[in-house]
Amino acid sequence: MLSTEDNETVTRVGPGTPMGTLMRQYWVPALLSREVLTDGDPVRVLLLGEKLIAFRDTAGKVGLIQNHCPHRGASLFFGRNEEAGLRCVYHGWKFDVTGQCIDMPNEPAESNFKTKVKAVAYPCTERGGIVWTYMGPRATPPPLPDLEANMLPDGDWQVNATLRSCNWLQGLEGDIDTSHLGFLHFGVRDPEKTIPRTFDYYTIKERQPRYEVVDTEYGAMYGPYRPAHDNQNYWRIAQFLFPFYVMIPSFVLGLQVMARVWVPMDDEHMMFY
């Protein structure tokens, strides 16, 4: 069990927090690609405690920009997405996907003030139906994570996102907890009525798994094991990858290529991809 202090450290993700600073060193899933349409309506995004606005410009590029217009603070969610930029409805200031102001219709024609105004915006890229963003300090972002499930050709993958009302660690730790399967999911199953030498059989027959954990360069690998047949053990091996990725064991090896991502929206909500 974590102490209250340690729990606060690992679950607070806003700007300036230790965990928020760490997570901003990585590319982070921001939303699904299908949620933003070319010159379509802006989309609200809550990510690592920051309120942001996503939009796809005329050229198909995705921008992720601060919620409030830097002029008078009006929400850019109500802005007009048009002609390669997002235009604030209050005074018409227009911003491109980099956050640069590219038009100030309420300024005299000879004014160059627009070149001096830039909203906070985070670079975005897309892969596997997900819009990824980098919110960290590096001038050159790190590579995208080479997760096998996110590198499959079109037609071979599917992706979904689900909002959950808990912090990111509560979601993630439940995902890699294999012991709860025998109680929460299979609690009423009779082991004598399952097929021997199957996942269900071993999980229900032995509800007290033992564990082995190995630290890795990318996070940790763990394997719970249960007695099986012929003096063998039944293993279920899972991976945790920094900062919030999980590869859980499938029922039968080789049938699935899967990654599960637990992205903090704020300290009490997360998006599960």
Side-chain angles (χ1 to χ4, degrees):
M1 300 292 290
L2 291 177
S3 67
T4 300
E5 181 179 4
D6 287 344
N7 185 70
E8 292 286 312
T9 299
V10 297
T11 60
R12 303 306 181 193
V13 295
T17 62
M19 186 57 70
T21 299
L22 172 65
M23 290 187 172
R24 284 168 172 79
Q25 301 295 326
Y26 297 82
W27 284 95
V28 178
L31 72 165
L32 299 175
S33 293
R34 61 177 180 258
E35 295 183 79
V36 277
L37 304 178
T38 300
D39 286 339
D41 293 337
V43 178
R44 287 188 174 106
V45 175
L46 179 59
L47 193 58
L48 299 181
E50 296 187 40
K51 294 181 178 180
L52 304 166
I53 302 298
F55 68 101
R56 191 183 296 275
D57 72 7
T58 309
K61 297 178 180 179
V62 177
L64 192 62
I65 195 170
Q66 65 184 65
N67 175 55
H68 298 293
C69 177
H71 181 210
R72 291 293 187 182
S75 175
L76 292 172
F77 173 71
F78 302 105
R80 291 191 290 270
N81 185 11
E82 58 183 21
E83 298 176 349
L86 186 60
R87 189 181 297 277
C88 179
V89 295
Y90 199 0
H91 293 90
W93 288 20
K94 185 176 180 180
F95 302 88
D96 66 14
V97 295
T98 71
Q100 180 61 52
C101 185
I102 56 176
D103 189 29
M104 282 185 178
N106 64 334
E107 280 285 294
E110 65 274 12
S111 171
N112 69 344
F113 188 61
K114 66 182 181 184
T115 63
K116 302 177 182 179
V117 177
K118 190 169 184 178
V120 174
Y122 297 114
C124 295
T125 190
E126 297 179 81
R127 183 198 283 173
I130 292 177
V131 176
W132 302 76
T133 189
Y134 176 68
M135 304 170 68
R138 304 187 199 182
T140 301
L144 278 173
D146 288 340
L147 301 169
E148 184 181 6
N150 192 237
M151 299 175 68
L152 298 173
D154 288 344
D156 286 357
W157 55 262
Q158 61 180 358
V159 61
N160 292 290
T162 304
L163 170 66
R164 293 194 175 180
S165 297
C166 62
N167 68 55
W168 73 276
L169 188 58
Q170 287 172 308
L172 185 146
E173 68 180 358
D175 210 23
I176 60 176
D177 165 29
T178 193
S179 69
H180 81 273
L181 295 174
F183 298 93
L184 177 64
H185 300 288
F186 300 144
V188 298
R189 299 280 297 278
D190 182 352
E192 302 305 322
K193 296 181 180 180
T194 59
I195 301 173
R197 300 191 180 189
T198 63
F199 160 76
D200 292 14
Y201 176 79
Y202 292 130
T203 301
I204 299 169
K205 186 175 178 61
E206 183 66 50
R207 289 188 166 102
Q208 301 85 30
R210 306 300 197 271
Y211 289 85
E212 293 286 347
V213 180
V214 178
D215 288 334
T216 64
E217 293 182 353
Y218 52 81
M221 175 177 65
Y222 89 99
Y225 59 95
R226 298 170 169 90
H229 56 280
D230 300 333
N231 294 319
Q232 295 180 330
N233 289 320
Y234 174 70
W235 289 81
R236 285 177 54 77
I237 300 172
Q239 307 283 348
F240 164 70
L241 301 86
F242 289 123
F244 38 49
Y245 302 102
V246 169
M247 294 180 180
I248 65 171
S250 56
F251 294 158
V252 180
L253 289 176
L255 293 186
Q256 289 179 311
V257 174
M258 178 170 53
R260 296 155 72 89
V261 196
W262 303 85
V263 180
M265 301 171 68
D266 59 17
D267 297 341
E268 289 88 28
H269 302 86
M270 48 82 52
M271 192 67 73
F272 168 50
Y273 291 86

